[in-house]
Amino acid sequence: MKSFFGLLLAALLLAGTGSASAQYPDKAVTCIVPFAPGGAADISVRMVADYLSKELGQPLVIVNKGGGSGIPGLNFGLKAKNDGYTVIGGAIGNALVATYFLKAPAYNLDDIIFVGAYMPQDRLLLTRPDKPYKTWKELVDYAKAHPGTVSVGSGASQEALEVLHAAAIHDGIKFRLVMYKSGGPATADLMGGHIDACELGVGTAGYQAARKGDLLVLANLGTSEVPYIAGVPKLRDMGYPFATSLMYGFAFPKGTPKAICDKWEQAIANVLKNPELQDKMKAAGFIPQFLSGKDYDAFSRHSVESVQEMLKYNEQDSN
């Protein structure tokens, strides 16, 4: 008799869980962006969130938790209740790989449920037109002639900064590397003359300034072509050892019900088919591209593995 009631109770609990998942979401969902306002993560998440809110039938409330290359924000999101009402969005991979560069505790990727990605992004090295260097080669020559004086910022991508570090080692030069909480303050300091160059993502305010001619693009640190700016040389094509490309997407903490994760995966796929969203993303310099949760998980695991080689390479120097 006791076993019968135990089975009955378990069945009722499972039924209740299924019903709750079917009704999900019945209130607003908080979206943690592990970066400060103004960068590509913030801009793109807000853009996609407008359409996800309509698709899911409830608002997405964006909460920025910047700093620490995205690690504190990701940690905050992963500690949230796994009921589907706190999702993490943006360049999640930034935080995953940054742990290796910053010697922070590495993530167990089994603790993260990747539900889908919405765009890739390459990183660009930009400078002001009044600088004496207009190309990557001219920057390298200037850095050789003025060792240790060229300051290069990063819009919160530790991996991109390490790609530049590796390039400096390759050429025997020294950069003064500066990490920012997001692309917004990094762009402001570049435009204001507080740093000499800065790596920023496609689609950021710095990228838009380059499209208008207010900044120059010296090099592409990634592997794709730069939208609306033709002929940008890639470091990889110039013989440098490393490149960086990110995937932006959404994830939940471990234990979030599968039905909820599946609903999010389908919602992301659906909104990316919307011509209006596609046009908005392309106008900002973003390239809409859907990855399933499974593929986003595989991409993230590969990124974490690949940073190991670059980390070993950069240990040659303490630049």
Side-chain angles (χ1 to χ4, degrees):
M1 182 66 71
K2 287 183 179 179
S3 64
F4 169 76
F5 283 113
L7 289 171
L8 180 61
L9 178 60
L12 290 172
L13 288 173
L14 284 172
T17 301
S19 176
S21 296
Q23 296 169 5
Y24 171 89
D26 59 8
K27 61 181 180 180
V29 177
T30 298
C31 180
I32 304 297
V33 178
F35 301 93
D42 176 67
I43 294 168
S44 64
V45 166
R46 290 178 185 276
M47 194 176 290
V48 176
D50 286 344
Y51 292 83
L52 283 173
S53 294
K54 297 171 186 174
E55 182 74 17
L56 293 169
Q58 292 290 343
L60 264 65
V61 180
I62 307 298
V63 177
N64 295 90
K65 297 239 175 232
S69 295
I71 295 173
L74 179 56
N75 289 346
F76 182 88
L78 292 177
K79 291 176 182 176
K81 188 176 180 180
N82 54 6
D83 58 359
Y85 287 96
T86 300
V87 67
I88 306 149
I92 297 168
N94 253 350
L96 300 180
V97 301
T99 59
Y100 295 90
F101 300 123
L102 300 178
K103 302 190 187 312
Y107 288 98
N108 179 353
L109 297 191
D110 292 336
D111 291 337
I112 305 172
I113 302 176
F114 298 90
V115 292
Y118 59 85
M119 75 172 198
Q121 187 204 48
D122 283 345
R123 310 294 293 188
L124 310 176
L125 184 66
L126 301 106
T127 192
R128 295 189 311 282
D130 61 352
K131 287 295 181 181
Y133 31 82
K134 314 298 180 187
T135 66
W136 169 261
K137 184 180 182 303
E138 289 177 356
L139 172 65
V140 170
D141 290 342
Y142 183 89
K144 286 180 178 178
H146 304 81
T149 65
V150 178
S151 55
V152 178
S154 170
S157 173
Q158 188 69 39
E159 186 175 6
L161 203 64
E162 294 294 340
V163 167
L164 289 167
H165 186 183
I169 293 172
H170 180 277
D171 285 338
I173 59 178
K174 296 279 188 180
F175 289 138
R176 290 194 292 112
L177 303 175
V178 184
M179 175 61 71
Y180 287 83
K181 289 185 177 181
S182 79
T187 300
D189 272 10
L190 177 61
M191 299 290 286
H194 302 293
I195 51 176
D196 298 311
C198 190
E199 76 76 24
L200 295 159
V202 171
T204 61
Y207 163 80
Q208 299 296 351
R211 285 181 63 181
K212 293 187 293 184
D214 295 333
L215 290 173
L216 295 177
V217 183
L218 298 175
N220 181 358
L221 312 187
T223 56
S224 303
E225 298 303 317
V226 180
Y228 302 108
I229 305 177
V232 178
K234 303 181 187 74
L235 288 186
R236 178 60 67 85
D237 291 347
M238 290 188 279
Y240 290 92
F242 300 103
T244 176
S245 289
L246 299 172
M247 285 301 302
Y248 286 59
F250 295 93
F252 284 104
K254 178 181 178 181
T256 301
K258 185 178 184 302
I260 290 175
C261 295
D262 290 346
K263 183 170 285 191
W264 265 81
E265 182 178 66
Q266 189 60 56
I268 297 165
N270 289 346
V271 300
L272 286 178
K273 296 175 185 175
N274 187 313
E276 185 178 86
L277 175 59
Q278 290 180 2
D279 289 344
K280 286 183 179 180
M281 292 182 71
K282 290 174 182 176
F286 299 141
I287 303 170
Q289 180 183 331
F290 173 71
L291 284 187
S292 67
K294 180 180 178 180
D295 289 343
Y296 189 22
D297 182 281
F299 181 95
S300 300
R301 290 177 188 273
H302 174 74
S303 296
V304 167
E305 292 170 2
S306 66
V307 300
Q308 305 305 306
E309 183 183 353
M310 181 159 59
L311 184 62
K312 290 179 181 178
Y313 183 90
N314 287 357
E315 284 176 351
Q316 300 175 62
D317 178 64
S318 58
N319 187 19

